[in-house]
Amino acid sequence: GAGVSQSPRYKVAKRGQDVALRCDPISGHVSLFWYQQALGQGPEFLTYFQNEAQLDKSGLPSDRFFAERPEGSVSTLKIQRTQQEDSAVYLCASSLGWGDEKLFFGSGTQLSVL
Amino acid sequence: GENVEQHPSTLSVQEGDSAVIKCTYSDSASNYFPWYKQELGKRPQLIIDIRSNVGEKKDQRIAVTLNKTAKHFSLHITETQPEDSAVYFCAASIGYGGATNKLIFGTGTLLAVQP
């Protein structure tokens, strides 16, 4: 595709509800990252995939957060039993990998937990 | 731990003036330093980047300088225009020991260019 695509663009969830956020990276990009951006802050690293392998999940805030990229392309970030503190913009980014580190971001999913 | 500090948090300049944003990083192994521009409600967009084997890089009105010894890098925008108004983020790479690194971002600078 022309760029990194994320859906939904906005998500409102009731506290305790499970949500799933989708990311479609640029075709051929090996590396895929998820970031969380709170209002007025910089993106904070959540997790990293190289193809289908999740090589780093050190940024996931709790075991309620789970990410997968089963076929090395589309990725899903799942948040179980959402809490108000989960409210943020979730950004997906991809890069070609293998030494090309230019990171291209999607427009994000703005999650609001009520 | 891995940390990138950015300042100022807000910057207001008159159209035509220059703007400078500064960042420091903690990991001496960081070797890639991009800058992103984010307009309200939009995705972060890469505007310029620099690698550690280069001290300065310029692209039209935008330049970035890197001081590896001091672990400082800066973004310089000359002849600012109202469309430069946005939040700017610096970032530094943290390596995995292979060919790909993750980026640690600063907290952002809100630049306002007054016409």
Side-chain angles (χ1 to χ4, degrees):
Chain A
V4 179
S5 178
Q6 291 188 246
S7 62
R9 185 73 178 88
Y10 303 95
K11 177 68 179 178
V12 178
K14 292 183 179 179
R15 193 173 55 184
Q17 186 179 354
D18 296 351
V19 298
L21 313 179
R22 176 189 168 104
C23 172
D24 204 336
I26 294 172
S27 179
H29 277 198
V30 167
S31 301
L32 185 147
F33 298 81
W34 283 97
Y35 282 84
Q36 181 190 61
Q37 186 174 29
L39 192 62
Q41 299 296 315
E44 297 228 353
F45 171 80
L46 293 178
T47 188
Y48 158 59
F49 290 86
Q50 184 179 94
N51 294 307
E52 70 279 2
Q54 188 175 21
L55 299 187
D56 185 353
K57 53 182 181 180
S58 62
L60 296 176
S62 77
D63 57 9
R64 296 186 295 104
F65 287 71
F66 171 77
E68 61 183 4
R69 193 186 184 197
E71 297 178 358
S73 178
V74 171
S75 177
T76 304
L77 176 67
K78 298 179 180 178
I79 308 173
Q80 297 177 321
R81 305 181 303 281
T82 52
Q83 303 294 317
Q84 284 189 319
E85 60 264 27
D86 299 336
S87 296
V89 175
Y90 290 85
L91 292 166
C92 176
S94 70
S95 69
L96 200 53
W98 306 116
D100 186 335
E101 295 166 284
K102 293 188 189 297
L103 205 56
F104 296 89
F105 280 89
S107 296
T109 294
Q110 185 171 329
L111 173 65
S112 300
V113 182
L114 306 179
Chain B
E2 307 141 355
N3 187 45
V4 176
E5 294 188 0
Q6 181 173 349
H7 58 94
S9 56
T10 60
L11 179 58
S12 181
V13 299
Q14 290 295 122
E15 182 176 359
D17 286 352
S18 295
V20 180
I21 303 170
K22 298 182 179 182
C23 289
T24 60
Y25 59 98
S26 59
D27 189 344
S28 56
S30 293
N31 60 11
Y32 176 63
F33 307 91
W35 286 87
Y36 284 81
K37 175 182 179 182
Q38 188 175 31
E39 296 176 4
L40 189 62
K42 301 285 182 65
R43 71 186 73 195
Q45 298 228 331
L46 178 67
I47 57 171
I48 195 167
D49 56 9
I50 192 169
R51 292 199 169 274
S52 57
N53 57 350
V54 175
E56 183 173 357
K57 184 176 178 181
K58 189 173 181 180
D59 182 3
Q60 300 183 345
R61 297 186 297 108
I62 295 174
V64 57
T65 58
L66 172 65
N67 182 331
K68 278 204 70 179
T69 303
K71 292 191 276 189
H72 289 172
F73 58 114
S74 300
L75 178 71
H76 305 253
I77 306 174
T78 58
E79 300 170 29
T80 53
Q81 301 166 5
E83 51 266 37
D84 294 330
S85 297
V87 179
Y88 291 80
F89 293 100
C90 64
S93 64
I94 304 294
Y96 289 114
T100 299
N101 303 315
K102 69 180 177 186
L103 295 180
I104 303 300
F105 285 83
T107 50
T109 297
L110 174 60
L111 173 64
V113 180
Q114 310 296 334

